[in-house]
Structure formats: structure tokens, C-alpha cells
Amino acid sequence: MKIFRLLFIATMAIGLAMPARADSVATARGLAALSAARYAEALQEWQRAADAGDGQAALYIGLLHDLGRGV
């Protein structure tokens, strides 16, 4: 279980390092905030994007919850 979580986090980190994959402007702003360790701001941006139907933003919200950052 611990190895699965480590692999999941590593996979997400690789995905977060590629902001060109952002589905929306708000998702991209959330990625920038995450890179600067502004977790609450990232959560707000991603929540806005997720409410508009951005599935990638919803995934990032889940990641913040899993890591316990900004929530």
C-alpha cells in the first residue's frame, strides 16, 4: 500500500510538472500556485475550474486532499 501511494504521488508530480496539459486557464493558475506552495490559492483556482466542468482540476483537488495541503 505504501509503495502504491508513493507511485501515485510520483505520477502526479510528473503530471503537475507539465502545465501545458492544463484544461483551462484556472487550472494553469492553480498549477502555478501549487508550484509556489500557495495551496489554498491553488485549491480556489481548481475549485472554480472543476465547477466549470474541468475534470483535471477535480483530480488536482483530490491530490491536495490526499496530501493534506490547503484543505
Side-chain angles (χ1 to χ4, degrees), residues 30 33-34 38-50 57 60-62 64-65 69-71:
L34 178 71
R38 296 188 316 263
Y39 304 113
E41 182 181 333
L43 178 62
Q44 289 176 345
E45 292 293 345
W46 290 333
Q47 189 62 58
R48 215 180 336 255
Y60 291 145
I61 291 169
L64 284 181
H65 281 276
R69 305 291 173 137
V71 293

Side-chain angles (χ1 to χ4, degrees), residues 1-57:
M1 184 70 171
K2 191 173 187 179
I3 189 78
F4 174 75
R5 188 173 183 159
L6 180 62
L7 287 173
F8 175 76
I9 291 171
T11 302
M12 292 305 299
I14 291 168
L16 292 174
M18 298 169 32
R21 293 181 51 197
D23 288 340
S24 68
V25 174
T27 301
R29 284 193 304 252
L31 288 170
L34 178 71
S35 296
R38 296 188 316 263
Y39 304 113
E41 182 181 333
L43 178 62
Q44 289 176 345
E45 292 293 345
W46 290 333
Q47 189 62 58
R48 215 180 336 255
D51 289 345
D54 186 336
Q56 190 171 6

